[in-house]
Amino acid sequence: TERLYTQVDWRSDDALLFGPEPTGLPQEILDHPRVSAHLRIPMVEGNRSLNLANSAAIGLYEAWRCLGFTGGA
């Protein structure tokens, strides 16, 4: 997908869904009507990919940042 994780108008009721590292999410889940967007984390060509934990941390932190760090101290 071309849409970056930084190009989202995050809402407090949004959810992120991640799949297994070797295969990603099955097509039937990607095509589900409740899945409203697919997002991309940019990578430098030729570099190894991010693992699942790092990808989840990037996505979650960006959403939290955009929502004003709600609940943070």
Side-chain angles (χ1 to χ4, degrees):
T1 187
E2 294 300 314
R3 187 174 180 193
L4 297 176
Y5 74 102
T6 56
Q7 298 172 318
V8 176
D9 292 326
W10 295 101
R11 299 181 337 199
S12 62
D13 62 344
D14 282 337
L16 295 174
L17 182 61
F18 296 88
E21 288 184 43
T23 59
L25 291 166
Q27 195 61 47
E28 64 266 16
I29 292 177
L30 292 172
D31 294 338
H32 193 281
R34 301 258 337 244
V35 175
S36 60
H38 301 175
L39 304 174
R40 180 172 67 87
I41 299 171
M43 298 290 301
V44 175
E45 190 172 330
N47 282 7
R48 293 181 58 198
S49 64
L50 295 168
N51 69 25
L52 179 58
N54 288 331
S55 298
I58 289 168
L60 290 169
Y61 197 83
E62 175 64 8
W64 191 40
R65 182 192 71 79
C66 289
L67 294 169
F69 298 111
T70 303

